[in-house]
Amino acid sequence: MVGKLALIITAASMIVPQLLLAGRDNEHHASKLEQSYSQALSELRGAADRENAEARFELGNLYVKGEAVGKNFSTAAYWYRSAAEQGHDAAQYNLGVMYEYGEGVVQNSIEAVRWYLKAAEQENGKAQHNLGKMFARGDGVAQDYARAAFWFGRAAEKGNAVAQYNMGAMYANGLGVMADKAEAVRWYGKAAEQGHAVAQCNLGSMYGLGVGVTRDYAMALHWYRKAAEQGDAKAQCNLGFMYGNGDGVARNPAEALRWFIKAAEQGDEQALEELGRAGVAL
């Protein structure tokens, strides 16, 4: 029921302004919709006052988005906290984010870690990833790569692409886990399949160098291209080298130059050096 109320409020807050802009013929419909979402908002507030955790969480969302109510991060934090203290994992995660970035509350990384941990222990994948990040950085908690890998791993198993990329990086560099290039390839591959550009680029490099996997220039080209098309400068530069050297593809200096230019325009130093050698100025 609470979720349905939130959907009514969100939909109506988007449609009403469009109807009013469309002219007088739609004013009646807009008025009806305004009544519907006003009633829905009233019911949602009533449920929140009756200590319904989901209603409190949804009110927090409305204040973050500014839907049907004025955008107000402080009020959002109030409602998230109310729900979080009742054990609502998504509210605990959102409150952690607000503390991490100082939105609606005074920035406090220690508090961010505290709320992320509460949500992570309830198997909230986003919180598990963010908790891993905090341990990896030593932000709000003593730096601990082993614990970072533990939480990244929990989130990665749930399909979190960024956590999967981070697990790849941990295995590639032996941070918090024994270095294992094959495991790095496995995790980069999972993230790459979900469209994570840096994972795609790193996977391309591992195929191109034959690290953790049999060297395969065709696969390297495939993953570099995927990342390059998303704007990853390093992948664009590496794609330039592959076309320039004819690795996994017919040698094509013009295509190599095209990718070097794209990478250089983003400030990639290797690409800039290649353009300099070719006598090309941006």
Side-chain angles (χ1 to χ4, degrees):
M1 181 61 180
V2 167
K4 184 177 179 181
L5 290 173
L7 284 173
I8 291 171
I9 295 165
T10 297
S13 66
M14 295 170 63
I15 296 170
V16 168
Q18 295 175 17
L19 288 174
L20 291 174
L21 285 172
R24 292 191 62 181
D25 290 343
N26 292 305
E27 287 180 3
H28 175 71
H29 296 298
S31 177
K32 287 287 187 182
L33 273 173
E34 281 185 323
Q35 290 175 22
S36 296
Y37 85 69
S38 293
Q39 182 179 347
L41 182 59
S42 177
E43 290 181 24
L44 192 64
R45 288 188 185 280
D49 290 339
R50 292 191 297 274
E51 300 187 358
N52 182 299
E54 187 66 22
R56 291 174 167 184
F57 170 69
E58 291 294 354
L59 272 178
N61 288 340
L62 292 178
Y63 277 104
V64 164
K65 299 172 184 175
E67 292 174 347
V69 293
K71 184 178 288 189
N72 188 318
F73 288 141
S74 295
T75 304
Y78 168 82
W79 286 115
Y80 283 149
R81 186 186 306 280
S82 297
E85 288 173 345
Q86 290 180 262
H88 193 290
D89 68 287
Q92 291 168 341
Y93 164 72
N94 285 0
L95 190 57
V97 171
M98 299 191 91
Y99 272 112
E100 182 181 355
Y101 296 103
E103 296 178 334
V105 293
V106 176
Q107 197 282 331
N108 188 325
S109 295
I110 294 173
E111 276 294 286
V113 168
R114 186 168 78 88
W115 287 109
Y116 284 151
L117 179 59
K118 286 180 180 292
E121 288 175 338
Q122 295 196 70
E123 298 301 323
N124 183 295
K126 290 180 179 179
Q128 289 172 337
H129 169 263
N130 282 18
L131 190 57
K133 176 185 67 177
M134 303 296 273
F135 274 112
R137 293 178 178 174
D139 186 6
V141 68
Q143 189 174 58
D144 187 329
Y145 287 124
R147 293 186 75 180
F150 172 79
W151 288 113
F152 283 147
R154 294 276 288 274
E157 293 288 358
K158 290 180 174 64
N160 184 299
V162 182
Q164 290 170 342
Y165 161 75
N166 284 335
M167 284 304 294
M170 302 290 270
Y171 276 110
N173 296 291
L175 295 173
V177 292
M178 291 291 291
D180 187 329
K181 304 301 185 184
E183 272 296 285
V185 168
R186 187 171 79 88
W187 285 112
Y188 282 148
K190 287 179 180 291
E193 291 287 356
Q194 293 199 69
H196 191 288
V198 181
Q200 290 170 339
C201 180
N202 287 7
L203 188 58
S205 294
M206 297 189 88
Y207 273 109
L209 297 170
V211 174
V213 67
T214 302
R215 175 176 281 176
D216 187 330
Y217 285 134
M219 287 295 287
L221 187 77
H222 169 79
W223 288 114
Y224 282 149
R225 187 182 303 281
K226 289 278 191 182
E229 289 173 349
Q230 291 194 70
D232 186 279
K234 183 53 62 183
Q236 291 170 341
C237 181
N238 288 343
L239 201 52
F241 281 120
M242 297 200 78
Y243 275 107
N245 297 327
D247 292 332
V249 66
R251 188 170 180 275
N252 188 331
E255 189 68 359
L257 184 62
R258 185 172 79 86
W259 286 110
F260 283 139
I261 290 172
K262 286 181 177 290
E265 286 174 343
Q266 295 192 70
D268 185 272
E269 292 184 5
Q270 277 189 301
L272 287 165
E273 288 176 8
E274 289 303 311
L275 291 184
R277 277 193 275 272
V280 175
L282 291 178

